[in-house]
Amino acid sequence: MSARMHLSPAHHAQPRTPGDEQFAVAAELLALLGDRTRLTLLHALTAGEADVTTLTEACGAARPAVSQHLARLRLAGLVGTRKEGRRVVYALRDGHLRRLADEALKVADHRLAERVTATESSGSPQQGAEPLG
């Protein structure tokens, strides 16, 4: 009998309600990802490891700015580093971040598609449409 056999089906059916601490940490994470450059960097890292030069090209920001954003992501524990000679190579530390970045971009795709549909159907931007940011 495996160790998992003691869990009832109801255990998996009812997701646990997040507590205040989880909401606080999630809010910090989302605030950190609320920056366009950092989100672009995370998206670039979903393809695999990269150095600062590669990431600078991917996001189109100045190298010092990219380095500062990467330092914030590293201090927050979202990206890890390793040395490869004199180069520092960055990587996502968690597969959840890959999915979070992908989901955020999918929501953005849907919102942009809704804007286009609203504009095409009315001939002008939809009144009362909510901005993305």
Side-chain angles (χ1 to χ4, degrees):
M1 184 173 203
S2 81
R4 292 181 171 221
M5 295 301 287
H6 73 278
L7 297 176
S8 69
H11 176 78
H12 295 291
Q14 294 290 333
R16 186 168 63 91
T17 302
D20 287 342
E21 189 173 14
Q22 283 175 292
F23 281 117
V25 171
E28 289 174 15
L29 171 65
L30 292 172
L32 190 63
L33 298 182
D35 179 90
R36 183 180 181 160
T37 301
R38 286 192 290 271
L39 188 57
T40 303
L41 291 169
L42 285 180
H43 180 262
L45 289 170
T46 64
E49 296 180 328
D51 62 9
V52 176
T53 301
T54 303
L55 293 169
T56 299
E57 292 169 3
C59 71
R63 187 182 179 102
V66 169
S67 292
Q68 288 178 354
H69 286 294
L70 287 168
R72 285 194 70 184
L73 292 170
R74 186 179 51 76
L75 288 172
L78 302 183
V79 299
T81 60
R82 67 178 177 81
K83 285 279 204 167
E84 197 173 85
R86 290 180 38 195
R87 280 182 353 146
V88 176
V89 179
Y90 291 84
L92 291 180
R93 294 194 59 198
D94 189 337
H96 293 293
L97 292 172
R98 175 176 288 110
R99 291 187 297 279
L100 184 59
D102 287 344
E103 287 301 319
L105 292 169
K106 286 177 187 174
V107 169
D109 282 344
H110 289 288
R111 296 290 304 266
L112 291 170
E114 289 171 2
R115 284 183 176 181
V116 169
T117 302
T119 301
E120 289 173 352
S121 66
S122 68
S124 63
Q126 182 178 5
Q127 288 185 334
E130 294 181 38
L132 283 177

